[in-house]
Amino acid sequence: GENVEQHPSTLSVQEGDSAVIKCTYSDSASNYFPWYKQELGKRPQLIIDIRSNVGEKKDQRIAVTLNKTAKHFSLHITETQPEDSAVYFCAASDAEGSARQLTFGSGTQLTVLP
Amino acid sequence: GAVVSQHPSWVICKSGTSVKIECRSLDFQATTMFWYRQFPKQSLMLMATSNEGSKATYEQGVEKDKFLINHASLTLSTLTVTSAHPEDSSFYICSARVRDRRTYGYTFGSGTRLTVV
């Protein structure tokens, strides 16, 4: 099955700086890569996703890059704000195939220091 | 958008009792529901995949007789934790894949915090 590794486990940045979180996956059949922000006791919230036919996607301060050859994808948050502090999870799935479940990375606790 | 309603949001039960968690898809038909468990400061781990009208598929290490999953209709999937013990205390969350003509994604229930005392 799919295995998703995520680094770093914790990340502290100064407000206004950029934050980068990286993930690798093992199953070359995976074709859908979402990123979620989760606050304590809440459901994961989708912040951005990318599909395997796209190398990069941007939405305001958030961007995701995908390298299918190397099987890794990254989340980039620019101009970080204190409200960006949360746990971020990457995930992967073969969303149109038989193994359609999401496999999550281990999570990154992001702290934005004012 | 596609919404999954999950109840209860939290429950406290005595050791040895059973607890049922429900997930309903409100505005779409969820032929498949994924059930995850999340321990504090850990990731979401897939427990099982339920398919409407058939038996659930459990991940390795998940006891199917302890975590009973029923998916009797296209809009309702339930997870019953039987004979709960303190080590079953966790955050349980369901998820369904949502697909329309243009794209697909996943929607999550709001989660159930189970505390077994």
Side-chain angles (χ1 to χ4, degrees), chain A residues 31-32 36 38 41-44 49 51 89 93 95-96 100-106, chain B residues 4 32 34 36 38 42-44 46 51 91 93 97 99 103-106 108-110:
Chain A
N31 50 29
Y32 177 64
Y36 294 94
Q38 188 182 31
K42 301 286 182 65
R43 78 186 85 195
D49 59 11
R51 288 166 174 79
F89 291 98
S93 81
E96 294 200 81
R100 292 169 292 152
Q101 71 271 20
L102 280 170
T103 300
F104 287 85
S106 53
Chain B
V4 171
T32 300
F34 304 106
Y36 292 88
Q38 186 177 31
Q42 294 189 23
S43 186
L44 288 82
L46 182 68
N51 296 291
F91 188 61
I93 190 163
R97 193 179 68 142
R99 181 173 182 167
T103 188
Y104 50 79
Y106 296 81
F108 289 85
S110 53

Coordinates of all heavy atoms in Angstrom, one line a residue, chain A residues 31-32 36 38 41-44 49 51 89 93 95-96 100-106, chain B residues 4 32 34 36 38 42-44 46 51 91 93 97 99 103-106 108-110:
Chain A
N31 N -2.4 9.7 -7.6 CA -2.5 10.8 -8.5 C -3.3 12.0 -7.9 O -3.6 13.0 -8.6 CB -3.3 10.3 -9.7 CG -4.6 9.6 -9.3 OD1 -5.2 9.9 -8.3 ND2 -5.0 8.7 -10.2
Y32 N -3.5 12.0 -6.6 CA -4.2 13.1 -6.0 C -3.5 13.4 -4.7 O -3.3 12.5 -3.9 CB -5.7 12.7 -5.8 CG -6.4 13.8 -5.0 CD1 -6.6 15.1 -5.6 CD2 -7.0 13.6 -3.8 CE1 -7.3 16.0 -4.9 CE2 -7.7 14.5 -3.1 CZ -7.9 15.8 -3.7 OH -8.6 16.7 -3.0
Y36 N -4.0 19.4 4.2 CA -5.0 19.7 5.1 C -4.4 20.5 6.3 O -3.3 20.2 6.7 CB -5.7 18.5 5.6 CG -6.5 17.7 4.6 CD1 -5.9 16.6 3.9 CD2 -7.8 18.0 4.3 CE1 -6.6 16.0 2.9 CE2 -8.5 17.4 3.3 CZ -7.9 16.3 2.6 OH -8.6 15.6 1.7
Q38 N -5.4 21.2 10.2 CA -6.3 20.6 11.3 C -6.0 21.4 12.6 O -4.9 21.4 13.1 CB -6.1 19.1 11.5 CG -7.1 18.5 12.4 CD -6.9 17.0 12.6 OE1 -5.8 16.6 12.6 NE2 -8.0 16.3 12.9
G41 N -9.0 19.0 17.7 CA -10.4 18.5 17.9 C -11.3 18.8 16.7 O -12.5 18.5 16.8
K42 N -10.8 19.3 15.6 CA -11.6 19.6 14.5 C -11.3 18.7 13.3 O -10.3 18.0 13.3 CB -11.4 21.0 14.0 CG -11.7 22.1 15.1 CD -13.1 22.2 15.3 CE -13.4 23.3 16.4 NZ -13.0 24.7 15.9
R43 N -12.2 18.7 12.3 CA -11.9 17.9 11.1 C -10.8 18.5 10.3 O -10.6 19.8 10.4 CB -13.2 17.8 10.3 CG -13.5 19.1 9.4 CD -14.8 19.0 8.8 NE -15.9 19.4 9.6 CZ -17.2 19.1 9.4 NH1 -17.6 18.5 8.3 NH2 -18.1 19.6 10.2
P44 N -10.1 17.8 9.5 CA -9.1 18.4 8.5 C -9.8 19.3 7.5 O -10.9 18.9 7.0 CB -8.5 17.2 7.9 CG -8.8 16.0 8.7 CD -10.1 16.3 9.3
D49 N -4.9 21.4 -3.1 CA -4.6 20.0 -3.6 C -4.1 20.1 -5.0 O -4.1 21.2 -5.7 CB -5.9 19.2 -3.6 CG -7.0 19.7 -4.5 OD1 -6.8 20.7 -5.2 OD2 -8.2 19.2 -4.3
R51 N -3.2 17.6 -8.6 CA -3.4 16.3 -9.3 C -2.2 16.0 -10.1 O -1.4 17.0 -10.4 CB -4.7 16.3 -10.1 CG -5.9 16.3 -9.2 CD -7.2 16.6 -9.9 NE -8.3 16.4 -9.0 CZ -8.7 17.2 -8.1 NH1 -8.0 18.3 -7.9 NH2 -9.7 16.9 -7.3
F89 N -1.3 18.4 7.4 CA -1.1 17.0 6.9 C -1.1 17.0 5.4 O -1.9 17.6 4.8 CB -2.2 16.1 7.4 CG -2.2 15.8 8.9 CD1 -3.1 16.5 9.7 CD2 -1.4 14.8 9.4 CE1 -3.1 16.3 11.1 CE2 -1.4 14.6 10.8 CZ -2.3 15.3 11.6
S93 N -3.6 9.8 -2.7 CA -4.5 8.7 -3.0 C -4.5 8.4 -4.5 O -4.1 9.3 -5.3 CB -5.9 9.0 -2.6 OG -6.5 9.8 -3.5
A95 N -7.0 8.3 -6.5 CA -8.5 8.6 -6.3 C -9.4 8.0 -7.3 O -10.6 7.9 -7.0 CB -8.6 10.2 -6.2
E96 N -8.9 7.6 -8.4 CA -9.8 7.0 -9.4 C -9.5 5.5 -9.5 O -10.2 4.9 -10.4 CB -9.6 7.7 -10.7 CG -10.0 9.2 -10.7 CD -10.3 9.7 -12.1 OE1 -11.3 9.4 -12.6 OE2 -9.4 10.4 -12.6
R100 N -8.7 3.8 -3.2 CA -9.1 5.2 -3.3 C -9.0 5.9 -2.0 O -9.3 7.1 -1.9 CB -10.5 5.2 -3.8 CG -10.7 4.8 -5.2 CD -12.1 4.6 -5.6 NE -12.7 3.4 -4.8 CZ -13.9 3.3 -4.5 NH1 -14.8 4.3 -4.8 NH2 -14.4 2.3 -3.8
Q101 N -8.5 5.2 -0.9 CA -8.5 5.9 0.4 C -7.3 6.9 0.4 O -6.3 6.7 -0.2 CB -8.4 4.9 1.5 CG -7.1 4.2 1.6 CD -7.0 3.0 0.8 OE1 -7.8 2.8 -0.1 NE2 -6.1 2.1 1.2
L102 N -7.4 7.9 1.2 CA -6.4 8.8 1.5 C -5.4 8.2 2.5 O -5.8 7.7 3.5 CB -6.9 10.1 2.1 CG -7.5 11.1 1.1 CD1 -8.2 12.3 1.9 CD2 -6.4 11.7 0.2
T103 N -4.1 8.3 2.2 CA -3.1 8.0 3.1 C -2.4 9.2 3.6 O -1.9 10.0 2.8 CB -2.0 7.0 2.5 OG1 -2.7 5.8 2.1 CG2 -1.0 6.6 3.5
F104 N -2.4 9.5 4.9 CA -1.9 10.7 5.4 C -0.4 10.6 5.9 O 0.1 9.6 6.3 CB -2.7 11.1 6.7 CG -4.1 11.6 6.3 CD1 -5.1 10.7 6.1 CD2 -4.3 13.0 6.2 CE1 -6.4 11.1 5.8 CE2 -5.6 13.4 5.8 CZ -6.6 12.5 5.7
G105 N 0.3 11.8 5.7 CA 1.6 11.9 6.3 C 1.4 12.0 7.9 O 0.3 12.1 8.4
S106 N 2.5 12.1 8.5 CA 2.5 12.1 10.0 C 2.2 13.5 10.6 O 2.0 13.6 11.8 CB 3.9 11.6 10.5 OG 4.9 12.4 9.9
Chain B
V4 N -20.8 15.7 5.1 CA -21.0 14.5 5.9 C -21.2 15.0 7.3 O -20.4 15.7 7.9 CB -19.7 13.6 5.8 CG1 -19.9 12.5 6.8 CG2 -19.6 13.0 4.4
T32 N -19.0 4.8 -0.7 CA -17.9 4.3 0.1 C -17.6 5.3 1.2 O -17.6 6.5 1.0 CB -16.6 4.2 -0.7 OG1 -16.8 3.2 -1.8 CG2 -15.4 3.7 0.1
F34 N -14.8 6.0 4.4 CA -13.6 5.7 5.1 C -13.6 6.1 6.5 O -14.1 7.2 6.9 CB -12.4 6.4 4.4 CG -12.3 6.1 2.9 CD1 -12.7 7.1 2.0 CD2 -11.9 4.9 2.4 CE1 -12.6 6.9 0.6 CE2 -11.8 4.7 1.1 CZ -12.2 5.6 0.2
Y36 N -11.5 6.7 10.0 CA -10.1 6.9 10.5 C -10.2 7.0 12.0 O -11.2 7.4 12.6 CB -9.6 8.2 9.9 CG -9.3 8.2 8.4 CD1 -10.3 8.5 7.5 CD2 -8.0 7.9 7.9 CE1 -10.0 8.5 6.1 CE2 -7.7 7.8 6.6 CZ -8.7 8.1 5.7 OH -8.5 8.1 4.3
Q38 N -7.7 8.8 15.1 CA -6.6 9.7 15.4 C -6.3 9.8 16.9 O -7.1 10.3 17.6 CB -6.9 11.1 14.8 CG -5.7 12.0 14.8 CD -6.0 13.4 14.2 OE1 -7.1 13.8 14.1 NE2 -5.0 14.0 13.6
Q42 N -1.1 12.6 16.7 CA -0.7 11.7 15.7 C -1.6 11.9 14.5 O -2.4 12.8 14.4 CB -0.9 10.2 16.2 CG 0.0 9.9 17.4 CD 0.0 8.4 17.7 OE1 -0.4 7.6 16.8 NE2 0.4 8.0 18.9
S43 N -1.2 11.2 13.4 CA -1.9 11.3 12.2 C -3.2 10.6 12.1 O -3.6 9.8 13.1 CB -1.0 10.9 11.0 OG -1.6 11.1 9.8
L44 N -4.0 10.7 11.0 CA -5.2 10.0 10.8 C -4.8 8.6 10.2 O -4.1 8.6 9.2 CB -6.1 10.7 9.9 CG -6.8 11.9 10.4 CD1 -5.9 13.2 10.3 CD2 -8.1 12.2 9.6
L46 N -6.1 5.0 8.8 CA -7.3 4.4 8.2 C -7.6 3.1 9.0 O -6.7 2.3 9.2 CB -7.1 4.1 6.7 CG -8.3 3.4 6.0 CD1 -9.5 4.4 5.9 CD2 -7.9 2.9 4.6
N51 N -18.4 -0.1 2.3 CA -19.1 0.0 1.0 C -20.5 -0.4 1.2 O -20.9 -1.4 1.8 CB -18.4 -1.0 0.0 CG -17.0 -0.6 -0.3 OD1 -16.7 0.4 -0.9 ND2 -16.1 -1.5 0.2
F91 N -10.0 9.9 18.7 CA -10.8 10.8 17.8 C -11.1 10.0 16.6 O -10.2 9.5 15.9 CB -10.1 12.1 17.5 CG -10.8 13.1 16.8 CD1 -12.0 13.7 17.3 CD2 -10.4 13.6 15.5 CE1 -12.7 14.7 16.7 CE2 -11.1 14.6 14.8 CZ -12.3 15.1 15.4
I93 N -13.1 9.7 12.9 CA -13.6 10.6 11.9 C -13.8 9.8 10.6 O -13.1 8.9 10.2 CB -12.6 11.7 11.6 CG1 -13.2 12.8 10.8 CG2 -11.3 11.2 11.1 CD1 -12.4 14.1 10.9
R97 N -15.4 10.0 -0.4 CA -14.9 10.6 -1.7 C -16.1 11.2 -2.4 O -17.2 10.7 -2.5 CB -14.3 9.5 -2.5 CG -13.4 10.1 -3.7 CD -12.8 9.0 -4.5 NE -13.8 8.2 -5.2 CZ -13.6 7.8 -6.4 NH1 -12.5 8.0 -7.1 NH2 -14.5 7.0 -7.0
R99 N -17.3 13.1 -5.9 CA -16.9 13.3 -7.3 C -18.0 13.9 -8.1 O -19.1 13.4 -8.0 CB -16.4 11.9 -7.9 CG -16.0 12.0 -9.3 CD -15.4 10.7 -9.8 NE -14.9 10.9 -11.2 CZ -14.2 10.0 -11.8 NH1 -13.8 8.9 -11.2 NH2 -13.8 10.2 -13.1
T103 N -14.3 17.0 -11.3 CA -13.2 16.9 -10.3 C -13.7 15.9 -9.2 O -14.8 15.4 -9.2 CB -12.8 18.2 -9.7 OG1 -11.6 18.0 -9.0 CG2 -13.9 18.8 -8.9
Y104 N -12.8 15.7 -8.3 CA -13.1 14.8 -7.1 C -12.3 15.3 -5.9 O -11.3 16.1 -6.1 CB -12.7 13.4 -7.4 CG -11.3 13.2 -8.0 CD1 -10.2 13.2 -7.2 CD2 -11.2 13.0 -9.4 CE1 -9.0 13.0 -7.7 CE2 -9.9 12.8 -9.9 CZ -8.8 12.8 -9.1 OH -7.5 12.6 -9.6
G105 N -12.7 14.9 -4.8 CA -12.0 15.2 -3.6 C -12.6 14.4 -2.4 O -13.3 13.4 -2.7
Y106 N -12.3 14.8 -1.2 CA -12.8 14.1 -0.1 C -13.5 15.1 0.9 O -13.0 16.2 1.1 CB -11.7 13.4 0.6 CG -11.0 12.3 -0.2 CD1 -10.1 12.6 -1.2 CD2 -11.4 11.0 -0.1 CE1 -9.5 11.7 -2.0 CE2 -10.8 10.0 -0.9 CZ -9.9 10.3 -1.9 OH -9.3 9.4 -2.7
F108 N -15.0 15.3 5.0 CA -14.8 14.7 6.3 C -16.0 15.0 7.2 O -16.6 16.1 7.1 CB -13.5 15.2 6.9 CG -12.3 14.7 6.3 CD1 -11.8 15.3 5.2 CD2 -11.7 13.5 6.8 CE1 -10.6 14.9 4.6 CE2 -10.5 13.1 6.2 CZ -10.0 13.7 5.1
G109 N -16.4 14.1 8.0 CA -17.2 14.4 9.1 C -16.5 15.2 10.1 O -15.3 15.4 10.1
S110 N -17.3 15.7 11.1 CA -16.7 16.6 12.1 C -15.9 15.9 13.2 O -15.3 16.5 14.1 CB -17.8 17.5 12.7 OG -18.8 16.7 13.2

